[in-house]
Amino acid sequence: FLSNLDKSNIGNAELAGLSKDLNLTGNQYGNCVTVFFATYIFFDPIGANLLKIVGPPKMMSFCLLCFGAISLGTAWAKNYAHLLVVRLLLGAFEGTIYPAINMYLTICYRREQYARRFAYVFFAACISSSFGGLISYGCSKISGSLSAWQYIYIVEGAISIGFVPFYVFGLSSKLEDSWFFTKEESEYVSARYKTMSTFNPDEKFNWNQVWLATKDLKTWVSAAALFCIDLTSFGLTVFLPIIITSMGFTSIKAQLLTVPIYFLTAITYFICAYISDRLRIRSPFIIGACLTCAIGLAIVVGSEVHGVRFFGMFILALGIYVNASMNCLWLSGNNGNYYKRATALGINLFCGSSSGLVSGQIFTAEDKPRYLKGLSICLALQVLGAILTFVQFLMYRRLNHKKEDIIKKCED
């Protein structure tokens, strides 16, 4: 919630006068969106491995404190150069958060329990985007010595810093040592590790596991699919309020109208996550979400009627987080060793987050506010993402058949 809030607030700040006050020209705003991902993607693979080495309390609280302080400090950026620097720093500390959360959940739960638990993470991301719109609306009503966009950064940065103590005192380096567990619950957690195929607390860092993940073709097919999927996610996270203004709404109303779109996204993901865990399948949800996103994007791009285009945004909302999250969960659930899984997930997120570098360059200032070029590219890549997911499914099915044959031979 806090990471997404501080990561996406540049879109709301833009509507509140950021570019005007900092004298941004041409595609300088898009460049500031892009550079965030230059450091973000670098720390994706690192964050997943660091979680077990450093420990959740130290890592999570330190990163939260840093990106909260950086977000708050952005309020005093004076020009294009200042904004570039703070966006680079923000990306560095936020890049470790998402993979760390993903890996922490794989420590806590079994594979068939991932999606429902991860639904809360994506629900938080969706709600933070809605919450960001509400904060921006409230800040636009403040009559103070600062601009509305400055109040947005101050309020949201302060919220993140205020939650740091919860991570310092709320998490433990070892799950079984959590202060809120009874003795019986701690013993249960320790005993359950022996029956889990996705985590062994005694695992030590091993470069061979890193190499196994790196040379695995499935890792790269998944990563390519996530790049296609995430281009839409990252693009809309930042540019959605601006796109809504092209439908005839004022900037203030556009901030508020992002709320129901993200709320629908959250509800849809909860439903899909529950069904996915019950059925123990991922690929149909990824493919279905990609095609749903493509249909929504086609409506937004193809129609000239504001009401129809706004309806297209709701169709897009049905799949925008389902495909990205299921992609990561599917890959995580198919790698047993912690460090192989962490490396595979890190590569996956590195490639997926790289799409953020592209989003700021395809959603350009001259194409504002409809962004037809950017949305059309997103549409094509959603279809490609569905195709790559099907290829990944065929690869997993082939491996499962091989395992079944081995089991049969052993039984005979």
Side-chain angles (χ1 to χ4, degrees):
F1 178 97
L2 298 168
S3 170
N4 202 62
L5 191 67
D6 289 347
K7 179 170 62 181
S8 62
N9 55 17
I10 191 170
N12 294 318
E14 167 68 3
L15 280 184
L18 173 73
S19 289
K20 184 180 177 182
D21 286 359
L22 268 58
N23 299 312
L24 302 184
T25 59
N27 198 43
Q28 287 183 337
Y29 169 75
N31 293 338
C32 290
V33 172
T34 298
V35 296
F36 168 88
F37 295 98
T39 46
Y40 187 90
I41 63 174
F42 179 77
F43 283 92
D44 266 337
I46 297 172
N49 281 295
L50 272 182
L51 181 74
K52 192 169 188 295
I53 297 170
V54 177
K58 292 179 183 176
M59 181 177 165
M60 300 286 276
S61 54
F62 177 73
C63 290
L64 179 57
L65 175 63
C66 289
F67 76 66
I70 292 165
S71 181
L72 190 150
T74 307
W76 286 274
K78 299 297 183 185
N79 51 45
Y80 175 53
H82 287 180
L83 191 59
L84 280 177
V85 171
V86 293
R87 291 289 292 175
L88 282 166
L89 290 172
L90 190 67
F93 290 105
E94 291 219 9
T96 58
I97 293 297
Y98 182 81
I101 291 171
N102 191 303
M103 291 305 298
Y104 191 73
L105 289 178
T106 66
I107 292 171
C108 300
Y109 301 104
R110 300 177 190 278
R111 287 186 299 175
E112 64 273 16
Q113 298 173 322
Y114 282 176
R116 273 176 289 171
R117 272 69 184 184
F118 215 75
Y120 290 99
V121 177
F122 273 84
F123 180 77
C126 297
I127 294 303
S128 77
S129 298
S130 301
F131 196 70
L134 293 174
I135 289 177
S136 302
Y137 176 76
C139 290
S140 69
K141 299 296 183 182
I142 298 175
S143 298
S145 58
L146 302 176
S147 299
W149 67 268
Q150 291 177 293
Y151 286 118
I152 291 171
Y153 279 114
I154 291 169
V155 171
E156 295 184 0
I159 291 172
S160 294
I161 293 171
F163 273 89
V164 171
F166 288 91
Y167 290 85
V168 174
F169 301 108
L171 295 178
S172 299
S173 294
K174 294 182 179 180
L175 181 63
E176 61 271 25
D177 294 335
S178 299
W179 62 267
F180 46 82
F181 283 158
T182 64
K183 184 181 177 183
E184 185 183 2
E185 288 169 338
S186 296
E187 289 173 353
Y188 170 77
V189 170
S190 298
R192 194 177 62 162
Y193 285 145
K194 298 173 183 177
T195 67
M196 290 173 68
S197 59
T198 52
F199 183 65
N200 178 357
D202 297 324
E203 283 173 355
K204 302 296 181 185
F205 182 78
N206 187 332
W207 281 108
N208 186 51
Q209 293 298 326
V210 174
W211 171 240
L212 286 174
T214 305
K215 72 175 186 177
D216 192 338
L217 183 60
K218 298 187 295 301
T219 300
W220 296 101
V221 173
S222 177
L226 189 62
F227 176 92
C228 297
I229 291 166
D230 270 354
L231 186 63
T232 305
S233 305
F234 286 125
L236 288 185
T237 297
V238 175
F239 295 98
L240 180 58
I242 302 171
I243 293 169
I244 292 176
T245 61
S246 73
M247 301 175 188
F249 299 102
T250 64
S251 60
I252 292 176
K253 284 187 177 178
Q255 307 276 22
L256 291 175
L257 288 171
T258 61
V259 176
I261 293 173
Y262 283 115
F263 185 76
L264 177 62
T265 300
I267 297 301
T268 303
Y269 182 69
F270 261 111
I271 295 169
C272 291
Y274 178 79
I275 298 171
S276 176
D277 273 353
R278 286 293 298 272
L279 299 179
R280 300 189 182 188
I281 54 173
R282 307 290 190 218
S283 57
F285 293 94
I286 304 172
I287 294 170
C290 286
L291 297 179
T292 302
C293 285
I295 292 168
L297 288 165
I299 293 171
V300 176
V301 170
S303 178
E304 296 289 338
V305 181
H306 292 333
V308 173
R309 294 179 65 229
F310 192 56
F311 170 75
M313 298 304 301
F314 282 93
I315 299 298
L316 174 59
L318 293 173
I320 193 170
Y321 278 145
V322 173
N323 46 13
S325 60
M326 292 289 183
N327 170 283
C328 295
L329 293 172
W330 197 22
L331 184 68
S332 295
N334 279 285
N335 285 282
N337 180 278
Y338 179 94
Y339 292 104
K340 183 188 177 186
R341 182 166 69 255
T343 304
L345 180 65
I347 292 170
N348 198 47
L349 292 173
F350 175 89
C351 293
S353 300
S354 298
S355 64
L357 291 169
V358 178
S359 66
Q361 304 306 309
I362 64 171
F363 290 88
T364 54
E366 60 266 23
D367 205 23
K368 182 181 176 181
R370 286 199 64 181
Y371 295 119
L372 292 179
K373 179 181 73 176
L375 292 174
S376 298
I377 293 172
C378 288
L379 193 164
L381 289 185
Q382 286 290 342
V383 175
L384 179 57
I387 294 169
L388 289 170
T389 300
F390 184 69
V391 170
Q392 196 179 352
F393 162 75
L394 293 177
M395 294 171 78
Y396 280 131
R397 189 176 69 168
R398 181 169 169 268
L399 277 176
N400 285 336
H401 286 330
K402 279 186 175 181
K403 289 176 183 178
E404 287 169 2
D405 290 341
I406 292 170
I407 290 169
K408 239 181 231 182
K409 286 177 183 177
C410 290
E411 289 175 348
D412 292 343

